[in-house]
């Protein structure tokens, strides 16, 4: 038997055959001299013979798929409902709708029946789950007495009181109209000039008008002829959107006619029908329950059906015609073909089918026929397989009547037409629900690093889809319809799950961005189809669609806020000696700017904490114990650095302790330090300083005792180390920009630090300090900043930290960096140096240094592309822009994803292409761009998905290179397989059902 989903042991799926055989035995078990059951038993005995053959082909439906399909068909064509976005919603709506039809049969008053059908038809066509949730949310908020939280993301927005008022007004007007017309204007005789006939003419005019207004919203009319009214300036985004806005105004007129005028016109037509004045029967209850609900659920389809019935009503207005004598309007809309209930002959009854089913089945037949022809052409057009497929093509041509029978049979069952292995070998698939897959929508996807790009664009895409749906640009919105969107390397798969009055539910899937050969081939054809529709200049007024045989028909263009992806080759920039030389000087400036900004923000965040501390205590940087033994000075610091031997410890652990050599000033200062009760390292309490030696100081600012720790040296060598004594900031506000105390330890020899200190840009440092604007002081801020900028002690601290970070980023050699060195450091792989451990032990400082390095690289690229920086002000503006509008980092970082979700305007990443041997820069820019959207042949998607299910789950052909997933430009086989739900497909993003308000 066919497989609908992977089965589990001891589950219902493993007993399909037993369940189906029991269905065949039921008529025989309950047969009690009933002719209908006897005939059914005879038919089942005949079908029973063919069960092995049907089982072998996988045509018989599993019970779960058959049950869901049956509920959908009865709900849609018998009760006027819609396919639902989830299976629980389908079950609940089926029960409620069936209860509505049954209840209407027992209402004795005709006025009561009209009111009941009108009111329930409107209410059931709304999104009741949203209304119920809002009501429950409001009750909970009222009980708690606090403001409720926002609704979950399942709904795009909350149902406001204006919308509730709108629905209440529509309901009241509909009830008043139906009861008044039925009570006072309903005639007992059929007439060409009666009020019902006049409203029928109005419905025909509305149908034609709405059809015209819908077709001019799309780029093609009927999917064949180029629309002369559609804007042709797609490449000029702004101009195109201005012209498209004019079409949107026409779309507003269409929305009013469709959602306000047409429903009331159809309610008037139904309320005036003479069938409602007599004793109602089962046919009246079912037919009019469906009709009154279809008015709101599928307004366009209901308008078409009512217009057809009205036209036949006018053409056959004689009371003696069987159409008017034997059928009420509800049944004429339904056109049920139960011969035993009608007085005309059986042949005539069988020849009549439901008007709703006729409309639906006719659309399905045309789509299936197009799909079959496309599969046939696709097999013939493949040159590599033409010899093997020629026989199949000839076979289909000779036996085309049988192929048509298969198409008709699958159309009547509303089941997919299955091309086995996507070859022109057609079978009738088993009936299944509209969603095609058994799982819950949006719960499975092959998530990867590229998923975040789809996640970011979905809200904006949903808003753009809403505008297009309201205007009619996407055509007739029916559950099971599929659309394909394309922008750069992104492919968006959109499916309509459910449709009702002023709402619909959709599912959005994102296909992989890493294009394989098959993916690339079909994506290129998609681009050609869209370019031919939107970007090609046509000389004729109504040109024909050049890609008419493709399963994809372009519809419209949507403005969506998303990231454009640009990859540039950095040859000539990152390998330029002049740029690399400037890179080193710019790095020091960027380090200064980032550290000052960091300390400024840090002090601002801790401002409230500092206010609560005891201002009488003195604040000292904790000093380690000092060794006062003599030490000789090292002869050469540079040799010790270039030897690449760790300076933290002596190689000979059995040797003497390293000693320090001090000058007179150092000895005097040491005596001062020894006379002070210094706190034990790691202790919480800080000690007060002797008033006569140093004086009491402010905890946060005045005294900072700093000792830059000395490294160990090789045995036989000694190093001079300079101790920074307890120093007082010259400005009382310098503590606001003081660096963290744990960053003050030293790891470089003093001689190296003195050498590198000459690279420190003092003018830039003072300029950056004077530009700060984040202080909230009562004093004059510019004067305070001027005093801080002149504080030499604070400057020495910055010199120490900045130059140590600078040394860590470039390593031992102070040469110009190479492109490879820049790439490694950009990725976080710093070269070894004596300062590497010092920096990596301070994660926050390490990230700031890495951030400064990446900012400097971006600055170097901008200077090479846009020109040099003129002054400090321009440099500051560039860095401020990087900080606020850019994320500069790695694609693999979590912060990269966070920046995309936060919609940072720009993102940059450095990379290397080993195939081309070049360095590349990737820039993502957030902007409103145009996405091409086209409608897919629904039956082509269902047929290929049915074949995928049959091939993998039933035939168990899981060959990764099988023919059915190879690229084909007409069928878009590979893309269609990708869009299937896992585990058979592999979309990298799949949204949960998204609710869209169509107003």
């Amino acid at each position: 038997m066919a497989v609908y989903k992977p089965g589990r042991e001891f589950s219902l799926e493993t007993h399909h055959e037993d369940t189906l055989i029991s269905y065949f035995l039921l008529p025989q078990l309950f047969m009690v001299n009933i002719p209908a059951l006897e005939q059914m038993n005879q038919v089942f005995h005949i079908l029973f013979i063919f069960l092995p053959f049907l089982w072998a082909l996988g045509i018989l439906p599993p019970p779960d798929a058959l049950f869901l399909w049956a509920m959908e068909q009865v709900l849609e064509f018998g009760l006027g409902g819609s396919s639902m976005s989830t299976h629980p919603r389908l079950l609940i709506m089926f029960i409620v709708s069936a209860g509505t039809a049954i209840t209407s049969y027992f209402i004795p008053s005709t006025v009561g029946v009209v009111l009941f059908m009108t009111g329930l038809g409107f209410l059931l066509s709304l999104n009741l789950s949203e209304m119920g949730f809002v009501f429950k949310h409001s009750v909970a908020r009222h009980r708690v007495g606090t403001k409720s939280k926002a609704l979950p993301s399942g709904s795009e927005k909350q149902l406001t009181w204006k919308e509730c008022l709108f629905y209440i007004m529509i309901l009241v007007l509909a009830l008043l109209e139906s009861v008044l017309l039925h009570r006072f204007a309903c005639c007992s005789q059929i007439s060409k000039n009666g009020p019902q006939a006049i409203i029928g003419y109005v419905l025909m005019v509305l149908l034609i008008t709405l059809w015209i207004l819908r077709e001019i919203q799309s780029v093609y009319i009927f999917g064949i002829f180029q629309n002369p009214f559609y804007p042709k300036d797609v490449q000029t985004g702004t101009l195109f959107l201005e012209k498209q806005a004019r079409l949107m105004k026409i779309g507003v007129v269409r929305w009013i006619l469709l959602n306000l005028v047409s429903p009331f016109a159809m309610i008037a037509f139904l309320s005036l029908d003479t069938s409602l004045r007599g004793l109602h029967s089962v046919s009246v209850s079912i037919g009019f329950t469906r009709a009154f609900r279809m008015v709101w659920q599928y307004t366009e389809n209901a308008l078409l059906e009512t217009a057809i019935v009205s036209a036949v009503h006018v053409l056959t207005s004689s009371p003696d015609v069987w159409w008017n004598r034997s059928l009420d309007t509800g049944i004429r809309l339904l056109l049920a073909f139960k011969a035993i209930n009608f007085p005309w002959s059986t042949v005539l009854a069988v020849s009549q089918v439901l008007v709703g089913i006729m409309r639906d089945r006719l659309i399905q037949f045309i789509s299936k026929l197009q799909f079959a022809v496309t599969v046939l052409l696709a097999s013939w057009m493949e040159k590599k397989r033409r010899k093997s497929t020629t026989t199949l093509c000839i076979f289909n041509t000779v036996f085309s009547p049988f192929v048509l029978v298969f198409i008709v049979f699958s159309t009547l069952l509303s089941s997919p037409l299955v091309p086995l292995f996507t070859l022109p070998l057609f079978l009738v698939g088993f009936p299944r629900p509209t969603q095609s897959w058994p799982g819950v929508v949006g719960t499975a996807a092959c998530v990867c690093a590229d998923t975040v790009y789809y996640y970011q664009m979905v809200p904006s895409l949903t808003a753009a889809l809403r505008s297009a749906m309201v205007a009619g640009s996407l055509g007739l919105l029916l559950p099971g319809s599929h659309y394909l969107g394309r922008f750069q390397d992104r492919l968006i798969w959109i499916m309509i799950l459910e449709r009702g009055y002023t709402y619909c539910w959709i599912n959005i899937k994102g296909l992989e961005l890493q294009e394989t050969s098959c993916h690339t081939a079909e994506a290129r054809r998609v681009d050609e189809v869209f370019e031919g529709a939107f970007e090609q200049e046509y000389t004729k007024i109504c040109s024909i669609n050049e890609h008419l045989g493709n399963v994809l028909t372009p519809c419209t263009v949507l403005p969506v806020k998303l990231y454009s992806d640009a990859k540039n080759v950095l040859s000539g920039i990152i390998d330029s000696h002049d740029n690399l030389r400037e890179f080193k000087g710019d790095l020091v400036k960027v380090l200064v700017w980032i550290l000052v900004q960091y300390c400024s923000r840090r002090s601002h965040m801790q401002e409230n904490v500092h206010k609560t501390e005891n201002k009488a205590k003195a604040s000292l940087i904790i000093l380690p114990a000092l060794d006062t033994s003599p030490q000789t000075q090292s002869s050469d610091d540079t040799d010790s650095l270039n030897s690449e031997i760790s300076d933290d410890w002596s190689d000979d652990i059995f040797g003497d302790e390293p000693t320090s050599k001090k000058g007179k000033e150092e000895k005097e200062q040491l005596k001062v330090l020894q006379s002070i009760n210094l706190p034990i390292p790691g202790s919480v309490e800080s000690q007060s300083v002797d008033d006569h030696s140093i004086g009491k100081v402010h905890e946060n600012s005045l005294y900072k005792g700093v000792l830059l720790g000395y490294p160990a040296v090789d045995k036989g060598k000694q190093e001079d180390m300079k101790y920074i004594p307890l120093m007082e900031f010259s400005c009382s506000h310098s503590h606001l920009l003081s660096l963290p105390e744990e960053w003050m330890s030293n790891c470089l020899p003093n001689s190296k630090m003195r050498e590198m200190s000459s690279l420190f840009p003092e003018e830039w440092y003072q300029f950056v300090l004077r530009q700060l604007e984040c202080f909230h002081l009562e004093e004059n801020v510019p004067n305070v900043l001027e005093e801080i900028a002149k504080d030499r002690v604070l400057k020495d601290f910055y010199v120490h930290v900045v130059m140590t970070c600078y040394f860590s980023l470039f390593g031992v050699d102070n040469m110009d960096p190479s492109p490879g060195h820049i790439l490694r450091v950009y990725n976080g792989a710093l070269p070894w140096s004596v300062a590497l451990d010092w920096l990596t032990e301070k994660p926050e400082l390490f990230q700031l240094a890495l951030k400064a390095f990446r900012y400097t690289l971006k600055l170097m690229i901008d200077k090479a592309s846009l020109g040099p920086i003129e002054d400090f002000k321009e440099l500051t503006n560039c860095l401020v822009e990087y900080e606020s509008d850019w994320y500069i980092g790695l694609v693999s970082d979590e912060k990269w994803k966070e920046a995309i979700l936060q919609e940072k305007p720009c993102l940059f990443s450095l990379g290397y292409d080993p195939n081309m041997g070049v360095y590349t820069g990737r820039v993502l820019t957030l902007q409103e761009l145009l996405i091409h959207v086209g409608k897919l042949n629904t039956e082509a998607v269902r047929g290929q998905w049915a074949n995928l299910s049959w091939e993998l789950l039933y035939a168990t052909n899981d060959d990764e290179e099988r023919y059915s997933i190879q690229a084909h430009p007409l069928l878009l086989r590979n893309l269609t397989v990708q869009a299937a739900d896992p585990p058979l497909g592999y979309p990298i993003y799949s949204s949960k059902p998204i609710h869209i308000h169509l107003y």
Side-chain angles (χ1 to χ4, degrees):
M1 181 176 288
V3 181
Y4 182 49
K5 59 183 177 182
R8 300 182 301 273
E9 190 175 2
F10 304 113
S11 63
L12 183 62
E13 290 83 4
T14 60
H15 302 282
H16 288 169
E17 293 84 355
D18 302 338
T19 306
L20 190 62
I21 291 176
S22 66
Y23 292 160
F24 279 80
L25 297 178
L26 285 177
Q28 186 173 358
L29 294 176
F30 296 98
M31 186 171 59
V32 187
N33 297 325
I34 300 177
L37 289 178
E38 292 178 355
Q39 295 177 5
M40 186 182 298
N41 186 38
Q42 294 174 2
V43 172
F44 277 7
H45 273 75
I46 297 174
L47 293 177
F48 196 83
I49 302 174
F50 297 96
L51 283 182
F53 176 74
L54 298 177
W55 272 329
L57 295 179
I59 296 176
L60 293 178
D64 49 354
L66 180 62
F67 179 69
L68 293 172
W69 169 83
M71 279 200 302
E72 278 191 355
Q73 296 297 306
V74 174
L75 178 62
E76 182 173 354
F77 299 107
L79 302 172
S82 164
S83 301
M84 308 305 286
S85 57
T86 61
H87 296 159
R89 285 172 61 90
L90 174 63
L91 179 60
I92 294 172
M93 185 57 70
F94 176 80
I95 295 173
V96 174
S97 301
T100 301
I102 295 172
T103 304
S104 65
Y105 177 78
F106 293 99
I107 297 177
S109 171
T110 58
V111 175
V113 170
V114 172
L115 286 174
F116 182 78
M117 291 180 176
T118 304
L120 266 295
F122 174 77
L123 292 176
L124 292 178
S125 67
L126 301 177
N127 184 20
L128 298 179
S129 62
E130 182 191 29
M131 293 186 173
F133 182 82
V134 172
F135 176 76
K136 181 180 178 181
H137 204 69
S138 301
V139 171
R141 180 178 60 181
H142 179 72
R143 288 179 179 177
V144 175
T146 58
K147 187 176 181 180
S148 66
K149 299 178 182 179
L151 291 178
S153 58
S155 298
E156 183 182 337
K157 62 178 183 178
Q158 296 187 30
L159 192 66
T160 63
W161 66 269
K162 292 182 180 180
E163 296 166 2
C164 293
L165 183 61
F166 169 76
Y167 290 138
I168 292 173
M169 290 176 58
I170 294 294
L171 177 60
V172 171
L173 292 176
L175 292 174
L176 288 175
E177 180 194 23
S178 61
V179 70
L180 291 176
L181 289 177
H182 176 73
R183 185 71 178 83
F184 300 105
C186 184
C187 300
S188 59
Q189 296 294 329
I190 300 175
S191 173
K192 273 189 176 182
N193 300 322
Q196 191 178 25
I198 295 174
I199 295 176
Y201 293 127
V202 174
L203 293 176
M204 296 177 197
V205 174
L206 280 174
L207 177 65
I208 297 173
T209 304
L210 287 173
W211 174 81
I212 294 174
L213 294 179
R214 186 187 70 208
E215 290 297 323
I216 65 175
Q217 296 289 333
S218 181
V219 67
Y220 286 121
I221 299 176
F222 289 124
I224 301 174
F225 303 103
Q226 185 81 17
N227 181 6
F229 301 101
Y230 197 83
K232 298 179 176 59
D233 306 296
V234 176
Q235 294 179 338
T236 309
T238 306
L239 183 59
F240 171 81
L241 293 177
E242 291 178 357
K243 293 183 177 180
Q244 193 182 44
R246 302 171 189 171
L247 287 179
M248 290 298 177
K249 295 179 181 178
I250 300 176
V252 173
V253 177
R254 175 185 174 274
W255 184 90
I256 294 174
L257 293 177
L258 180 64
N259 293 282
L260 298 180
V261 178
S262 298
F264 287 99
M266 286 186 284
I267 287 178
F269 182 86
L270 295 173
S271 301
L272 292 172
D273 193 77
T274 57
S275 303
L276 291 171
R277 296 190 66 85
L279 292 176
H280 50 277
S281 60
V282 174
S283 60
V284 171
S285 298
I286 296 176
F288 276 97
T289 298
R290 176 185 181 274
F292 275 104
R293 183 171 177 183
M294 281 282 291
V295 165
W296 308 101
Q297 192 86 44
Y298 294 113
T299 305
E300 287 181 279
N301 290 343
L303 186 61
L304 174 63
E305 296 174 11
T306 311
I308 293 175
V309 171
S310 177
V312 176
H313 178 273
V314 172
L315 294 175
T316 59
S317 59
S318 174
D320 297 329
V321 179
W322 63 266
W323 173 274
N324 297 317
R325 185 183 69 251
S326 302
L327 293 179
D328 55 70
T329 300
I331 290 299
R332 289 198 293 271
L333 288 172
L334 207 64
L335 276 182
F337 59 107
K338 287 190 176 181
I340 58 175
N341 293 335
F342 302 137
W344 63 87
S345 63
T346 304
V347 176
L348 184 61
V350 173
S351 65
Q352 303 301 317
V353 293
L354 307 166
V355 167
I357 292 181
M358 285 178 61
R359 171 197 49 77
D360 179 77
R361 296 309 191 255
L362 180 62
I363 295 174
Q364 283 195 37
F365 177 78
I366 295 173
S367 298
K368 284 181 169 65
L369 187 61
Q370 290 177 344
F371 174 50
V373 173
T374 303
V375 171
L376 195 63
L377 291 176
S379 301
W380 174 258
M381 289 173 60
E382 287 187 291
K383 296 181 180 180
K384 296 180 180 179
R385 299 180 179 272
R386 182 169 295 178
K387 292 182 179 179
S388 58
T389 56
T390 301
T391 305
L392 291 176
C393 294
I394 295 175
F395 177 83
N396 279 272
T397 303
V398 173
F399 294 96
S400 57
F402 295 96
V403 176
L404 286 176
V405 169
F406 277 24
I407 295 175
V408 171
F409 190 57
S410 66
T411 300
L412 293 177
L413 291 178
S414 188
S415 61
L417 181 68
V418 183
L420 293 183
F421 309 103
T422 64
L423 291 170
L425 289 173
F426 299 104
L427 288 179
V428 178
F430 64 85
R432 66 197 73 194
T434 304
Q435 294 180 19
S436 296
W437 306 111
V440 180
V441 174
T443 56
C446 302
V447 179
C448 65
D450 295 329
T451 303
V452 67
Y453 299 107
Y454 291 108
Y455 197 92
Q456 176 272 328
M457 68 182 294
V458 162
S460 180
L461 176 62
T462 302
L465 286 171
R466 169 186 167 274
S467 300
M469 290 175 177
V470 170
S473 303
L474 299 181
L476 197 61
L477 300 177
L478 296 175
S481 299
H482 298 267
Y483 298 88
L484 185 67
R486 175 70 169 169
F487 173 75
Q488 288 187 351
D489 56 352
R490 266 154 277 187
L491 284 162
I492 305 102
W493 194 282
I494 305 164
M495 180 179 179
I496 307 294
L497 301 175
E498 180 184 337
R499 172 70 196 278
Y501 183 64
T502 67
Y503 85 93
C504 73
W505 288 87
I506 66 171
N507 169 242
I508 298 177
K509 294 178 181 177
L511 306 188
E512 63 180 356
L513 302 185
Q514 298 178 354
E515 299 180 349
T516 60
S517 57
C518 295
H519 183 102
T520 303
E522 293 188 355
R524 189 183 303 116
R525 174 53 62 92
V526 172
D527 292 334
E528 292 175 0
V529 171
F530 284 130
E531 288 173 2
F534 298 109
E535 300 178 9
Q536 183 175 337
E537 294 292 338
Y538 291 94
T539 56
K540 298 181 181 179
I541 297 178
C542 292
S543 302
I544 297 178
N545 182 5
E546 296 178 354
H547 302 277
L548 187 60
N550 201 288
V551 296
L552 176 66
T553 302
C555 291
T556 187
V557 176
L558 303 179
V560 179
K561 189 178 182 181
L562 46 71
Y563 283 97
S564 63
D565 194 347
K567 296 179 181 178
N568 305 313
V569 177
L570 300 181
S571 299
I573 297 178
I574 197 173
D575 52 1
S576 171
H577 294 292
D578 295 335
N579 294 338
L580 295 174
R581 192 176 301 111
E582 292 182 7
F583 180 88
K584 297 178 64 178
D586 291 337
L587 177 59
V588 182
K589 294 179 181 179
V590 178
L591 275 169
V592 170
W593 186 86
I594 285 182
L595 289 178
V596 171
Q597 297 295 324
Y598 167 79
C599 292
S600 176
R601 290 192 299 267
R602 178 171 170 265
S603 65
H604 180 63
M605 290 186 296
Q606 297 177 351
E607 183 177 359
N608 295 331
V609 177
H610 288 311
K611 289 180 180 179
T612 61
E613 292 179 350
N614 187 358
K615 297 182 179 180
K617 292 184 179 180
S619 175
L620 293 175
I621 294 182
I622 298 172
L623 300 177
L626 301 178
D627 188 355
T628 58
S629 59
Q631 178 182 354
T632 58
Q633 184 178 2
S634 172
S635 60
D636 190 1
D637 293 330
T638 308
D639 294 341
S640 176
L641 289 173
N642 291 337
S643 64
E644 299 192 6
I645 297 176
S646 174
D647 292 319
D648 294 332
W649 301 97
S650 172
D651 290 338
D652 188 357
I653 62 175
F654 300 101
D656 298 334
E657 279 188 0
T659 58
S660 301
K661 180 180 180 180
K662 309 167 188 64
K664 293 182 179 180
E665 285 185 30
E666 295 168 346
K667 290 181 180 180
E668 292 176 359
Q669 183 61 40
L670 182 58
K671 292 178 181 178
V672 174
L673 291 174
Q674 290 174 344
S675 66
I676 302 172
N677 294 325
L678 294 176
I680 299 174
S683 64
V684 177
E685 297 182 359
S686 60
Q687 304 294 331
S688 299
V689 183
D690 184 31
D691 295 345
H692 299 285
S693 60
I694 302 297
K696 292 184 179 181
V697 293
H698 191 282
E699 180 183 3
N700 294 324
S701 60
L702 297 183
Y703 272 153
K704 295 291 181 181
V706 178
L707 178 64
L708 303 181
Y710 54 87
V713 296
D714 294 338
K715 185 178 180 181
K717 294 186 179 181
Q718 294 176 344
E719 178 63 59
D720 71 312
M721 300 305 301
K722 181 174 182 179
Y723 295 100
I724 305 299
L726 287 175
M727 292 170 290
E728 180 181 356
F729 288 133
S730 62
C731 176
S732 61
H733 297 288
S734 294
H735 71 278
L736 296 173
L737 295 176
S738 179
L739 294 162
E741 296 175 2
E742 59 269 19
W743 296 359
M744 297 304 176
S745 60
N746 191 16
C747 61
L748 296 178
N750 289 334
S751 58
K752 186 66 178 177
M753 182 60 67
R754 285 193 299 269
E755 175 189 345
M756 299 180 63
S757 297
S758 60
L759 302 176
F760 186 81
E762 186 171 352
E763 294 182 1
W764 166 251
Y765 165 77
Q766 295 182 358
F767 177 82
V768 171
L769 291 180
R770 294 187 180 100
Q771 297 298 312
L772 292 176
E773 298 178 354
C774 63
F775 292 130
H776 301 280
L777 302 175
E778 297 178 359
E779 305 176 29
N780 192 346
V781 175
N783 293 337
V784 172
L785 294 175
E786 185 69 27
E787 294 177 5
I788 295 176
K790 294 179 180 179
D791 193 327
R792 304 296 301 178
V793 176
L794 182 64
K795 190 204 79 170
D796 290 341
F797 290 169
Y798 274 94
V799 171
H800 164 67
V801 176
V802 168
M803 301 318 299
T804 306
C805 292
Y806 176 86
F807 182 82
S808 302
L809 294 172
F810 284 110
V812 177
D813 298 328
N814 196 22
M815 305 296 291
D816 293 339
S818 64
H821 175 87
I822 289 181
L823 178 62
R824 288 190 294 272
V825 177
Y826 185 93
N827 292 332
L830 273 63
W832 184 92
S833 67
V834 293
L836 179 59
D837 291 338
W838 176 88
L839 184 59
T840 54
E841 289 173 357
K842 304 167 180 59
E844 198 168 10
L845 180 59
F846 177 81
Q847 292 300 324
L848 291 174
L850 193 60
K851 178 181 178 181
F853 191 92
R854 292 169 176 176
Y855 278 18
T856 308
L857 173 65
K858 184 65 175 65
L859 181 64
M860 180 183 73
I861 296 173
D862 289 347
K863 288 169 62 177
S865 305
L866 306 176
I869 300 296
E870 299 294 337
D871 51 23
F872 287 165
K873 185 67 175 177
E874 186 177 352
L875 177 57
T876 303
N877 293 336
C878 288
L879 296 178
V880 170
E881 182 184 354
Y882 295 161
E883 187 73 16
S884 60
D885 297 341
W886 286 79
Y887 175 78
I888 302 173
L890 301 178
V891 178
S892 58
D893 289 345
E894 283 297 322
K895 290 185 177 180
W896 180 277
K897 299 178 182 179
E898 294 175 5
I900 292 176
L901 296 178
Q902 294 169 3
E903 295 193 340
K904 274 277 187 180
C906 303
L907 292 90
F908 173 83
S909 179
L910 178 67
Y912 180 76
D913 188 348
N915 298 324
M916 300 178 61
V918 295
Y919 295 91
T920 59
R922 183 181 183 184
V923 178
L924 300 182
T925 306
L926 182 65
Q927 51 188 323
E928 190 175 78
L929 299 168
L930 300 179
I931 290 184
H932 299 154
V933 177
K935 188 171 185 178
L936 293 161
N937 186 320
T938 302
E939 294 304 320
V941 175
R942 292 185 69 201
Q944 293 184 72
W945 281 357
N947 171 73
L948 177 65
S949 177
W950 181 90
E951 192 172 355
L952 292 183
L953 299 181
Y954 183 76
T956 64
N957 178 22
D958 58 351
D959 184 6
E960 294 182 355
E961 298 299 328
R962 62 186 183 276
Y963 172 76
S964 59
I965 63 172
Q966 300 300 314
H968 196 282
L970 286 180
L971 291 173
L972 304 181
R973 278 188 304 222
N974 189 264
L975 298 181
T976 305
V977 169
Q978 285 186 50
D981 283 4
L984 304 185
Y986 46 97
I988 65 174
Y989 172 80
S990 181
S991 70
K992 293 183 179 180
I994 299 175
H995 179 265
I996 297 182
H997 296 273
L998 300 181
Y999 47 78

